Amino acid sequence: MIRTPVRPPFCPPEVVLHPGDVTDHDATRRLLLEVAPDEVYNLAAVSSVARSWQEPELVRAVNGDAATALMDSALALQDRTGRPVRLVQASSAEIFGSPATAPQDESTPIAPTNPYGEAKARAHLAVGEARERGLHAVSAILYNHESPRRPQTFVTRKITRTVAAIARGEADELVLGNLEARRDWGWAPDHLGAMVLAGRHDLAQDYVVATGESHSVREFVAAAFAAAGVTGWESRVRIDPTLVRPVDAADLRGDSTRARSALGWRPTKAFADVILAMVESDLRPR
Ligand code: GDP
């Protein structure tokens, strides 16, 4: 069901929100036909890999089936109006599963190893299919993208929030799982910028969106403590084996040569700057 449009206070006046449930494919299609957008960006997803083991069916429905249905609806809109529709799917590095080599690029085999990656892979493949059917459809294969708005279900925000609490004397320890996993951590606004560039480019093709650098969780932790001015971080971190995932990619690092050359895209924040922005935000009084 799609409810009546609303305009919450934080939205610019030209933004109209239509709250709804993307797993209601018919209602989403009706809305798309009514609003008739030129561009569609699909960011609707259950975004946590960890949660995808707890609720695999929900993740398949939202991240996979709903995305696929949205592409069908975009094609229906295009057929009805005769105007081209551009669709950008927020795909994920998780479609590559635990790749044998790093960096990965657009030709890396799709081999997901968790329900999140599996559902994102289904949507990713549907983008290619929709493109064959005449939709200007693009998959932006997003690597980890962070900001102070990240929820604490992600390791980055969990770290910066807890480190800030330790710096203020409000917490004693940071409890984590696998410290050795390496991720390509970028700045979320940069990745969103790449999605818009990709959707507006003349050629509809898929793009890896990544900084090209990976760092371990351990490096992230050390840099966050340093940014908060807390020394001796090793004694503050405890490993909880229940937080270690059954399958965890060792090194997700993206080669975004295609996005850089075709779209002129560049990340604006390096690893240390992303951490600094998040720690500074978490240190600010609320
Ligand atoms: P993901 O790459 O999209 O799954 O992003 P996350 O931020 O959830 O996880 C990044 C990496 O941090 C993964 O390799 C996790 O196994 C690792 N990690 C280590 N400790 C934790 C933790 O306490 N929470 C989360 N979410 N991830 C952790």
Side-chain angles (χ1 to χ4, degrees), residues 98-145:
S98 298
T101 55
Q104 301 84 41
D105 65 16
E106 294 82 3
S107 62
T108 299
I110 295 174
T113 50
N114 56 58
Y116 174 90
E118 184 198 308
K120 283 284 182 180
R122 169 159 152 66
H124 180 81
L125 294 172
V127 167
E129 194 189 306
R131 200 151 56 211
E132 291 296 315
R133 290 161 69 198
L135 190 71
H136 191 104
V138 170
S139 238
I141 306 166
L142 305 176
Y143 281 63
N144 299 53
H145 38 285

Side-chain angles (χ1 to χ4, degrees), residues 49 144 153-155 158 176-178 181 183 217 243 245 248:
V49 171
N144 299 53
T153 44
F154 289 86
V155 79
K158 179 177 177 182
L176 294 170
N178 180 9
R183 292 290 180 273
V217 174
L243 293 173
R245 298 177 183 176
D248 200 14

